[in-house]
Amino acid sequence: MHIDIITVLPELIQSNFEHSILKRAQQKGLVSVNLVGLRNYAVSKHKNVDDYCYGGGAGMVMMIEPIANCINDLRSKRKYDEIIYMTPDGETLNQKMANTFSSAQNLMVLCGHYKGIDERIRELFITKEISIGDYVLSGGELAASVFCDSVIRLIPGVLNDETSALTDSFQDDLLSPPVYTRPANYMGHQVPDVLLSGHAGEIEKWRMEQAISRTKQRRPDLMAKFQGGENN
Ligand code: 6GU
């Protein structure tokens, strides 16, 4: 997979891809991530990429020309499965969407800033609009990083047995069960006996029960989905 991320703040995103699983995914050649500085496509002599809002009101709006020039430049080199705009009024990201995107070849991700982007960009270029939740961030950069992380870790070969996505929360519409490591006794606080029993069947059963009771308690909305078997 190849991902181009268009941003006015590449530095804000860069380090997210330089560690751990995302770093290894790139080293293994399973994904390449290219940060594209929008200012390189500015058309004014002061390299502005934003301007005042027509009709008045507070806040600046990202201009159409730099973004259009940038998108067209990228499109001349690759065919994109989706051109995604990160925006709080987009569709809220979930695990199912991450799964779907993980089989794409080329993705373009545009980070919004200021008050938003000129509406014509959305009409002319954007194929998907994604939010990461009902709260407002200062820009789309953190959201783009979250989105890319959720997608890249699902590309086949990125995770190994130890980091397998199959046991992640949400992968089967359930939260994960509790986990423990050594010591088995911390000042009287014991690891559940079943986990020390070596009895694989019992352990599997315990984990499923824990996942279900935790999901019931914390996320009754997910529980309803699990029982409905939407994932099957
Ligand atoms: Cl994608 N962008 C911004 N600026 N804020 C957000 C968001 C995106 N998703 C949730 N809040």
Side-chain angles (χ1 to χ4, degrees), residues 36 68 71-72 98 125 127 137 155 157 159 183 185 198 201 223:
V36 185
I71 292 177
N72 282 331
F125 299 106
T127 61
L137 300 170
I155 298 172
L159 298 182
N185 179 348
M223 198 60 216

Side-chain angles (χ1 to χ4, degrees), residues 11-60:
E11 319 81 59
L12 185 53
I13 301 180
Q14 189 161 359
S15 65
N16 290 300
F17 295 98
E18 292 175 343
H19 305 275
S20 182
I21 290 170
L22 301 191
K23 179 183 178 182
R24 281 202 302 277
Q26 291 169 93
Q27 287 170 338
K28 285 192 208 164
L30 296 168
V31 66
S32 50
V33 179
N34 177 35
L35 298 173
V36 185
L38 184 61
R39 234 169 266 287
N40 298 332
Y41 293 89
V43 290
S44 71
K45 73 168 187 278
H46 295 296
K47 300 274 170 206
N48 294 330
V49 293
D50 61 325
D51 206 339
Y52 295 100
C53 190
Y54 271 126
M60 305 294 276

Side-chain angles (χ1 to χ4, degrees), residues 86-88 130-133 135-140 143:
M86 302 306 303
T87 174
I130 296 176
S131 162
I132 63 163
Y135 43 84
V136 178
L137 300 170
S138 306

Side-chain angles (χ1 to χ4, degrees), residues 4 6 34 36-38 40-41 65-80 83 108 125:
D4 285 300
I6 305 171
N34 177 35
V36 185
L38 184 61
N40 298 332
Y41 293 89
E65 288 128 313
I67 294 175
N69 291 347
C70 180
I71 292 177
N72 282 331
D73 183 32
L74 294 173
R75 282 204 302 197
S76 72
K77 298 170 203 157
R78 279 194 173 78
K79 186 161 165 34
Y80 289 89
I83 302 181
M108 196 189 303
F125 299 106

Side-chain angles (χ1 to χ4, degrees), residues 87-102:
T87 174
D89 58 12
E91 183 181 359
T92 308
L93 181 64
N94 59 33
Q95 192 65 22
K96 194 170 164 208
M97 286 159 72
N99 274 326
T100 304
F101 284 115
S102 71

